Amino acid sequence: MARCNRWRRALGAAFPVTVPVLTGYVCLGLAYGVLMAANGYGPLWSALMSAIGFCGSMQYAVIPILAAGFEPLQAFLLTLMVNARHVLYGLSMLERYRGLGWARFPLIYTLSDETFSLVSTLDPPEGVARRDFFLCISLLDYGYWVSGTALGGLLGSVLTFNATGLDFALTALFVVLFLEQWKEPERRGAGIVGAACAAVSLAVFGPDNLVIPAMIMILAILLGGRKLTCA
């Protein structure tokens, strides 16, 4: 009974702060599931991709790769570049997750952009253990995404309609994130670097091959700038 009460308190504290993630994940997950269904992949595939891969932006990016014929090397390089930011997330969370025992493994596995923004800034309320609070946030966000994509896959397999334009949902999300970043003058530098690298990559490599070169340039510039700052 004491353990149930402990987890109930943790869940009660975690759920309200994850509501914005819930709304975003369900909408994006629905769009992703419908797109997967439109390309011939049923709800089981959508749910499995989310449960095992759990990399929302990369899941969107891999749909045209799957539809055009799977190319392992291209998928590997694209995944590496798109998800390279998680290396920085993980390193910054080492101290935050220190001493949490077995919970570190599901916490690491379920770390996403939105979960990182919550667990890196929020502290548990009084009476709620740090491990329980972080774990509930992470598992709730994970559940939102998997459930949303599974539901989207079900809807896409039952309803017949033109899914053209749904793949813009993730682009729209990143446009909003960019605009939010642009509001803070101290954060504009990173946005300018990203936009410039994307423009150069588009001009040199064309629209079909711009992502990987752009990500390599962004990573190289940010790492180079960090070294100069540290020096």
Side-chain angles (χ1 to χ4, degrees), residues 115-130:
T115 300
F116 171 79
S117 69
L118 293 177
V119 299
S120 63
T121 56
L122 296 176
D123 290 312
E126 186 177 352
V128 176
R130 191 163 57 98

Side-chain angles (χ1 to χ4, degrees), residues 27 29-40 151-167:
C27 292
L30 285 171
Y32 171 75
V34 170
L35 283 173
M36 285 285 283
N39 283 276
L151 182 58
L154 286 171
L155 291 175
S157 62
V158 173
L159 303 178
T160 302
F161 61 93
N162 189 351
T164 302
L166 276 181
D167 53 348

Side-chain angles (χ1 to χ4, degrees), residues 63-136:
I63 292 176
I65 297 177
L66 292 173
F70 184 58
E71 297 183 16
L73 181 59
Q74 181 185 3
F76 171 76
L77 291 176
L78 185 61
T79 302
L80 185 64
M81 291 297 103
V82 171
N83 292 323
R85 66 192 187 280
H86 287 282
V87 175
L88 303 178
Y89 288 170
L91 290 174
S92 66
M93 294 302 294
L94 287 177
E95 187 61 35
R96 193 78 166 166
Y97 286 166
R98 189 180 302 278
L100 298 186
W102 61 267
R104 288 178 299 168
F105 299 103
L107 287 171
I108 292 169
Y109 185 76
T110 57
L111 187 64
S112 65
D113 297 357
E114 292 76 13
T115 300
F116 171 79
S117 69
L118 293 177
V119 299
S120 63
T121 56
L122 296 176
D123 290 312
E126 186 177 352
V128 176
R130 191 163 57 98
R131 184 190 67 182
D132 300 344
F133 184 63
F134 292 161
L135 194 58
C136 283

